[in-house]
Every structure is written in C-alpha cells, then in structure tokens.
Amino acid sequence: MTLVSVEVAFGSTLFTPVTDMVWTDITSRVDVKEVGITGSRGAADELADTQVGTYSMLLDNSDGAFSPGLSSSPYYPNVRKGTPIRVRVQTGEKNWVPNPTFEVGTEYWSPSGSQTIIQSVVRAHDGAASMRISWTAVSSQSVRTPLEYLTAGATYTASAWVWVPAGAQAIRLKAADEAGTDIQLGALSTVTDAWQRITVTWAATAPDQQLRISPTGTPAAGQQVWVDSVQVEAGAVASAFDPVPIRIHHRFWGAVNDWPVKWKGLYATARITCSDLMAPLSRQPQLRSALDEEVLENGPIAYYPLTEDSGSTSAGDLSGIVTGALSVVQIGGTGGTLDFGSGAAPAATRESYPQFTPTSATVGKFLFADLGDEYERLSAARYNTVEGWFSTTTGGRVILGLESVDLQYQLCFSLSAGGIFQVESTIDGPGPLTVLTSGSGNLADGAMHHFVYDEWSSGLWIDGVSKSLGFPGTMFDLRKLAVGAFRSTRLWSGSVGGVALYTTSGGPRGPDLLDHYTAGATGFAGEDADARIQRIARYGKVASVTILGSVHDPVASQGEGGATALAMMRAVEKSEAGRLYAERDWIGMAYQSRDVRYNPSPAEEVFTISYADLETDDVELTDDDQKLTNTVVAQRPGGARQRIISQPSIDRYGPYDPGEMTLLKTSDAAVAAAANWIVSRYADPPPELREIPVEAYTMPNYADILDGEISEYFTVTDLPAESDSSEQRVTIEGYTETIKQSSHLIKFHTSRSANDSVWILGDSVYSVLGSTTRLAY
C-alpha cells in the first residue's frame, strides 16, 4: 500500500524556526482508503504564474481531537488555523541507508579524515561491488553515511557485511548523532578473510543521525577492509537484507487553513484544507520603501521616516518601541512654515520629507518629541547610533539634536556656515558645546545627503563614505529629540527625514547601516536578480530562498515599495523569465533563473515513461494559438518603448500581442533581448503535450516520478503514430495529485522542453536552422 505520512506541528506557525517545531503524526486519522489526499502545485503552463499550493484531506474527528477550542482535545489549545503541516510519501520497504549496496559507487558515504573509500569489484556480498576502505595511521577515524527521517525514541538496528583481512584491525558499527557524537557502539568483528555480519542497536535521539564504520585502536596506514549490504531497519533485530533504500518524498509543506467540524449523524469528521507559504505571502501588507525596510530590519529603537502626508502636524515612530510623536513647535513669535509632503527626499523612495522654511535662524518651526521612558532606559545603558537624511542650500543650521532631561548630555548634528558636517556635544550640562568638524566638504549644495554617526567607534559616514572625526563623548539618558533646531535656534532651512536612533552594547552599529544610503539613493538599482529576490524575501520575513541557475541580470530599482513581497518578487520573475514557487520540502521559496531550462540533456531527465503506461483517456497533443505571440511592446522604468515582431508569424496568423509590458531592466538593450526571447519562442509554437496523467504507484520507477519537480524534465516515449514524433521531452510546470491506498495518480502540467532550447554552434540538436537557432537570453 502507499506509504504516506501526515504530520502537524501543533503550537507552531509557518514563521516558527523549523528546528523548534515538534511534529505529531496524524496519518492514522486520515481517510486514505476512500477519500485520499488531494493537492496541487505549480502553474498550468510556463506562461502562467505559479499558484498557491493547496492540499486537502478528511480526518477522523470522532473524539474531538481536531475540534478548535475543545479542552478535551489532546492538542488543546493548539488546534488553530495556520498550524504547520507536511505530507510525505515513502518508497522502499525498510532500509534507511541511502546507498546500501555500492553497485553505482560510494555516493552518500564519506570519510571523517584522510582515509579513502572506493567502489571495489574485488569481492562483494550482494551484487557485483562493495566499498573498500583504506585506513590511515590515526585513532578515532571512521567512514559515515547520513540517516534521515528516523523517529526520535524509536529503536533501530544497523547491520553490515564486512570482510576484514587477516592482520587488519577489527571494525565495528557505531550509531552517532548528526554532529558525529557516538550514541551506541556495536560489537567488534571477529572473523577474518571471510564475510561476517556485524550489528548495532540503538534508540534514535533525533530524526537525523549517522551510521559510522570504525576500526578498533589505530590501524597501520593502508590497512583495508571491505563493506557491503548495509542496512538500518526499525526494531531490535537484524533481518534479511533489502537492497532497495527507503526514500522520503516531500509532497507538501504548508499550514492548515481551518479545522471545520462536520457531523454525519453522530460521527464527526474534519475536512481540512492547507496552503503553502505563498498564501501568507500574498496576504501580507504592502512593503514600505526599501529604505524603510532596511532601517526597520536593523532594529532601531526610534524611527521617524517623516513621510507623512501634506497637512500633517506631527510625525510618528515606526520602531514599535512606542516613543513619542514628533510635533510641530513654533519659536521666535510667528512666522515660518513646516510643510509635510513637500520637501526633497531620497530619490529611490519616491516620497517627500517635510520642508522647513523659517523666517530666520531664530523664527520658525521645528519638530520635537519626548522619546519616553524606554528609550531613556536603553540610552542609559548603551552606546548611541544616529542616522538621517537632509537637503539644504543654507549653512550654519541644525539638522537634529538629542538631550537628556537634565541637559547634562547633549548631542547635536549640524552644518557649519560653509556647509561642513559637524557633531556638537557636551557631557557637562547646558554650557557651550564642543564642536567637531568632519571635513565633509560643502553639503549645503541642495543635494540629498545621508549621515550615520556611531558613538561606539566615534565613526561618521556621509553618503556611505567614512569621514574622520574626534570623540564627542559618551552620551547617557538621552530622551528629548529636536529635528530642525537645537536649543531653539539655528532653525533648519530645507528638508530632513529618515531619522533613526539605535543603541548597542555589543560593538559598532554604523557599518551595518551603510546600505541605507544605497537603498535611499538608488533603491539597489543594478543588483542582480538573485540578490533582489533574496532581499525582498527578507523584507517579507521568508526564512529561506533557494536560488537555482546562474543567469541573473541586473534589475532596476524597486525602492519605492508599495506592493507585497510576493508581488515584488513576481515582478523580478516576469522580467527575468524565471520561476518562483514555494518549496515542498521546506518552509521557504525557490527562484529559478531562465537558464535552468536551457537545452536539457537525457542525463538530466528525472524519468522516462511510455505512452502505454499513461492514463491515456486524458492525454492530448495540442497545437493551438493559446501561447502564440508575434508582437511584443516592452519598456523599462524610465526607458524607451520598443516593439519586437516576427513578420512571418504575423503574415501567417495575424498579430498576437500579449499587451504592453514593463520589465525591470537596466538598459534598453536588455529590454529588447527579453522581448525577442518571448517572440522567438512563441511566434509559432509546435504541438505539445500539456497534461500527462500517470498512475505513479504502479510504475517500477515510482520513486523517480515522485522526484519530478517544477522545471524538471521527463520524456514520453512510444507515442501513437498520429503524433508528430515518436517521443516528446516535456518540462514540468505543475501537477495535481490524489494519494490513496495503493494508488497515487499524478496529473503533470507540462510544456514542450524544446521551447527553451538555445543555440550552440555546430551542435547537431541545438543549431538547426529555423528550429533551434534562437540565441540565449
């Protein structure tokens, strides 16, 4: 029967560290016999977006175990929406060793030091080959293989057939934890010049363990032993050797959407639906600007972006520490203005800071906040770091200043009359401030500038560049913040924003903040697509992103934010002809560059299947205009609008235009290349198999079929004579599946792999005129 397992991590969420999750096996509650487990992943075709992966199953809830809020449930109070769940299928019957026979080499086995291992055909216990180990003259050496997906607390027995030549050191099996620390030692071998089976039995302490083979004492250099027919099985006794290793195939990893309780008479069930990581990502709020996201990632204890709308009279803190709001204060009688939403701000944010326009240096408006008890407490025990942005054409004015309540400690950031950046301070009360000049050059030039001051190191950076500075002193108990003035004078004329305050007790903070200048000035325009995907995923609090492929073009700025993390990653995916989807074996995302699909070779196929082995009532060879595209109009942000066409296709079919598109490219040439890639592939797409249903459970290569993932390939052979070819290699775009007892039906959504082939000079397959002559993009 189908060996499926369903596990739930009660008490956790998708954003709980995986290492902290505790899994509960609920497989016995799942109706696999009649209803089965149904699910879907991926996309309908290569031009469609991958969708949220969804799985559903029917649970026996006759005792209320899955009733939310029911105190008698053994899982109370953790039967909650958003609980992590995973579905796995096992192939192989009992042997947990990933390579037990060495018939195809020594993969999955490795030495702990300089000892060597090779496949040997000199002797074998099972089949034609074994593993030969050559020891070195050191103690505590071993050869090991990983064991995965064991059940913590369960008993396992490892066995291996070994040939120890006369005069060589006896060897033993060891069970060890993932770090290599011994858990249990087996008995030493006692036979030489013949095969002997040795064993070790232990209780697993975690799902991931190791099996090790070690000599006793210190062998002579070059001593050899042979090992074959290795097995790890559940139980306390070694049974007949099974050469087929157990393989665990992850089908789904996500969260339960709801726990509905339904009755049929008095019999209660719970039909649960589950979604993968793309679901919560699609529901997240829109990201703020890249500058805001970078600042917030660094954990300020006060952050005032100062990007409030026009007409605002105060500015709020986004740090989450709940410091006081910055409020407008009038000094020097009447006169002067302070207008939110009208001043210059970093270009990539596409936002506005408040514009300070005083009547004079002593008459006008500034912003003031009491930062509160918590900020004062943190400042009392740690070093301070301050950053902000400013723009002015007037020297001799104050950007911002901080003070303790008793005025003993004061710290002020200003420009000299000549526009030189200054740090002013005192640790002795309200007397004169000590002024330290940075040598920054004239910053009163109307441009937008960024500064970071780090008290730990007395470091100062202007626009990402380090500037020399003396030591202004260590500040304590800071609580009062003034933006645009200090001591009610030297009123700022210009714009100020992005004010962030940090404290540290463990080293300098300044170097960690230098990317904020790039975030605000360029929005990281020009960084490669893989780096951008990882950056946005980090903003969206995605634990990990697997990057696949090597072609990652530079991408334009997304510094203004204004969309969900998923939508922003989708924009990169579309611009790069890549593929983005949620992992099925981890709580994370995967991003594939377009070259993952270039020119697949037979060696890269996950499996081959004959047409006769398909569920043939649903197989269709399609040649329609669904994907036909012979006209593309595309542009980049701030770039030229360009049109790429295939005239022969237009002459034959008329114009097919998917609509104007904006791509995150950094040059017009890159836009043209991307548009040409689309037209060259779809000006006249050939016939293709788009849905291929397989009853995988009955196939001898069941395990290989289960390994088929998005963008991987397989070939359908022996197609009927009515097909345009006897076989077709296809790329997996997604699939639906139904897992039942002794049944596993998978319907693969596929595209023709030849659509992604690129030109290779002189190649018999990939340089065919008019067919595979398209240039790589």
Side-chain angles (χ1 to χ4, degrees):
M1 63 181 296
T2 312
L3 297 174
V4 61
S5 67
V6 179
E7 297 168 292
V8 176
F10 290 110
S12 297
T13 73
L14 276 185
F15 298 98
T16 301
V18 175
T19 52
D20 294 341
M21 293 182 180
V22 178
W23 295 95
T24 299
D25 192 322
I26 63 167
T27 308
S28 62
R29 301 285 199 132
V30 180
D31 185 348
V32 179
K33 183 177 181 181
E34 300 294 334
V35 178
I37 300 170
T38 60
S40 65
R41 287 185 73 243
D45 60 56
E46 75 274 31
L47 299 180
D49 288 342
T50 52
Q51 300 300 305
V52 175
T54 59
Y55 276 67
S56 65
M57 62 199 76
L58 185 67
L59 306 180
D60 174 4
N61 192 34
S62 56
D63 60 353
F66 305 117
S67 295
L70 184 63
S71 60
S72 61
S73 165
Y75 313 122
Y76 175 83
N78 294 317
V79 181
R80 296 173 175 168
K81 51 188 170 292
T83 298
I85 186 171
R86 64 186 182 189
V87 179
R88 302 185 291 184
V89 171
Q90 173 188 316
T91 56
E93 294 297 323
K94 68 179 183 181
N95 192 347
W96 294 88
V97 176
N99 179 11
T101 66
F102 311 106
E103 296 301 299
V104 292
T106 59
E107 184 181 10
Y108 298 110
W109 290 84
S110 61
S112 62
S114 58
Q115 57 271 39
T116 59
I117 58 174
I118 65 168
Q119 181 193 46
S120 172
V121 294
V122 171
R123 56 179 57 90
H125 183 269
D126 184 83
S130 63
M131 176 174 65
R132 190 191 75 191
I133 304 172
S134 298
W135 302 117
T136 54
V138 298
S139 60
S140 302
Q141 58 185 304
S142 64
V143 172
R144 62 203 175 208
T145 189
L147 304 173
E148 298 181 313
Y149 309 114
L150 304 179
T151 300
T155 298
Y156 293 88
T157 295
S159 59
W161 288 87
V162 299
W163 180 292
V164 180
Q169 296 289 90
I171 64 173
R172 64 175 14 131
L173 294 177
K174 296 180 179 180
D177 63 19
E178 190 176 14
T181 303
D182 291 341
I183 299 173
Q184 185 66 50
L185 307 183
L188 291 167
S189 61
T190 57
V191 175
T192 59
D193 293 333
W195 288 104
Q196 179 189 11
R197 197 180 202 188
I198 58 175
T199 66
V200 62
T201 299
W202 82 102
T205 58
D208 295 327
Q209 309 266 253
Q210 291 183 16
L211 178 65
R212 290 177 170 245
I213 301 168
S214 298
T216 180
T218 302
Q223 279 191 359
Q224 297 176 338
V225 298
W226 283 260
V227 179
D228 200 6
S229 306
V230 187
Q231 181 162 282
V232 171
E233 59 191 299
V237 179
S239 63
F241 173 65
D242 185 343
V244 180
I246 284 174
R247 288 168 61 180
I248 302 298
H249 308 268
H250 295 268
R251 305 309 296 170
F252 178 75
W253 195 312
V256 179
N257 297 335
D258 60 354
W259 298 90
V261 180
K262 186 175 182 179
W263 290 268
K264 186 174 183 179
L266 295 178
Y267 179 69
T269 60
R271 178 180 284 278
I272 60 172
T273 58
C274 317
S275 301
D276 64 22
L277 183 59
M278 291 182 73
L281 280 180
S282 66
R283 295 192 298 265
Q284 284 186 345
Q286 294 182 348
L287 294 178
R288 301 181 63 88
S289 70
L291 173 59
D292 284 355
E293 296 294 342
E294 292 287 332
V295 171
L296 293 172
E297 270 203 334
N298 285 115
I301 56 174
Y303 179 46
Y304 298 96
L306 293 170
T307 53
E308 279 76 6
D309 294 335
S310 176
S312 297
T313 58
S314 60
D317 166 39
L318 296 186
S319 71
I321 305 297
V322 192
T323 57
L326 280 167
S327 299
V328 176
V329 176
Q330 173 76 49
I331 60 172
T334 60
T337 59
L338 197 164
D339 297 319
F340 281 90
S342 62
T349 68
R350 298 187 183 179
E351 296 176 320
S352 296
Y353 287 161
Q355 179 68 30
F356 297 73
T357 310
T359 300
S360 68
T362 56
V363 178
K365 294 180 171 68
F366 68 100
L367 295 168
F368 176 81
D370 181 339
L371 297 175
D373 294 339
E374 180 63 9
Y375 188 96
E376 184 178 29
R377 182 187 69 80
L378 293 170
S379 177
R382 304 181 182 187
Y383 294 88
N384 301 280
T385 301
V386 182
E387 73 168 316
W389 293 77
F390 61 90
S391 173
T392 187
T393 56
T394 305
R397 303 297 177 92
V398 168
I399 304 166
L400 64 90
L402 290 153
E403 298 175 322
S404 59
V405 172
D406 61 7
L407 303 183
Q408 179 177 354
Y409 298 99
Q410 300 179 55
L411 182 64
C412 175
F413 303 94
S414 63
L415 298 184
S416 71
I420 307 299
F421 192 89
Q422 300 178 147
V423 178
E424 306 174 42
S425 66
T426 180
I427 58 174
D428 297 318
L433 300 177
T434 299
V435 179
L436 298 175
T437 304
S438 66
S440 63
N442 180 18
L443 302 182
D445 55 2
M448 181 58 57
H449 296 287
H450 175 248
F451 79 91
V452 173
Y453 167 70
D454 175 41
E455 187 177 84
W456 177 282
S457 62
S458 295
L460 175 68
W461 293 263
I462 303 293
D463 297 341
V465 178
S466 178
K467 302 295 181 181
S468 60
L469 189 74
F471 180 51
T474 303
M475 303 293 123
F476 295 99
D477 304 321
L478 298 179
R479 178 163 179 155
K480 296 193 287 185
L481 169 65
V483 176
F486 196 65
R487 294 182 173 179
S488 299
T489 188
R490 290 185 289 166
L491 290 168
W492 183 256
S493 178
S495 66
V496 178
V499 175
L501 311 176
Y502 310 80
T503 60
T504 179
S505 58
R509 295 292 303 272
D512 298 333
L513 311 181
L514 301 187
D515 269 358
H516 299 182
Y517 174 67
T518 305
T522 70
F524 301 105
E527 71 178 338
D528 289 343
D530 56 334
R532 177 64 57 78
I533 287 286
Q534 291 174 313
R535 183 182 302 281
I536 297 171
R538 198 172 69 242
Y539 296 165
K541 304 300 183 287
V542 177
S544 67
V545 180
T546 302
I547 301 294
L548 303 168
S550 58
V551 175
H552 303 290
D553 288 357
V555 291
S557 170
Q558 292 175 289
E560 71 276 14
T564 65
L566 181 59
M568 292 178 68
M569 287 190 282
R570 286 279 194 220
V572 177
E573 173 195 33
K574 178 182 177 182
S575 298
E576 293 299 294
R579 214 48 166 159
L580 180 74
Y581 55 90
E583 299 268 31
R584 63 182 178 183
D585 58 351
W586 190 257
I587 299 177
M589 299 292 291
Y591 172 74
Q592 302 171 343
S593 63
R594 57 186 174 274
D595 69 302
V596 167
R597 297 175 175 230
Y598 287 172
N599 299 357
S601 68
E604 295 175 298
E605 293 183 341
V606 287
F607 64 93
T608 299
I609 190 167
S610 171
Y611 169 82
D613 290 326
L614 304 180
E615 299 297 306
T616 55
D617 288 347
D618 294 324
V619 178
E620 181 177 296
L621 187 68
T622 302
D623 183 22
D624 58 20
D625 63 356
Q626 176 179 316
K627 300 178 182 179
L628 201 156
T629 303
N630 52 33
T631 302
V632 172
V633 178
Q635 63 179 339
R636 63 187 176 93
R641 182 179 287 106
Q642 302 177 79
R643 180 170 176 258
I644 303 295
I645 66 171
S646 169
Q647 193 60 50
S649 176
I650 294 174
D651 292 343
R652 174 172 292 184
Y653 301 112
Y656 278 76
D657 185 347
E660 190 167 321
M661 57 184 67
T662 298
L663 305 176
L664 296 175
K665 298 297 185 181
T666 57
S667 71
D668 294 332
V671 173
N676 188 69
W677 177 246
I678 297 171
V679 171
S680 67
R681 295 160 73 208
Y682 298 112
D684 192 1
E688 65 181 359
L689 298 168
R690 292 186 184 159
E691 186 168 279
I692 300 176
V694 182
E695 177 46 79
Y697 179 76
T698 61
M699 299 299 297
N701 56 348
Y702 179 33
D704 295 331
I705 295 172
L706 292 182
D707 284 345
E709 177 59 301
I710 295 167
S711 295
E712 293 186 327
Y713 318 97
F714 67 91
T715 295
V716 180
T717 62
D718 305 316
L719 288 167
E722 296 79 10
S723 172
D724 66 325
S725 61
S726 62
E727 64 180 43
Q728 188 172 130
R729 181 178 295 151
V730 296
T731 302
I732 299 170
E733 305 298 343
Y735 54 82
T736 61
E737 64 180 338
T738 301
I739 307 169
K740 287 187 173 182
Q741 181 175 304
S742 301
S743 173
H744 194 158
L745 178 63
I746 306 175
K747 292 185 178 181
F748 289 103
H749 305 309
T750 60
S751 63
R752 190 164 186 148
S753 300
N755 289 345
D756 296 297
S757 65
V758 298
W759 180 66
I760 300 177
L761 178 64
D763 189 276
S764 60
V765 176
Y766 296 115
S767 63
V768 180
L769 184 64
S771 173
T772 58
T773 54
R774 88 174 54 93
L775 294 176
Y777 153 63

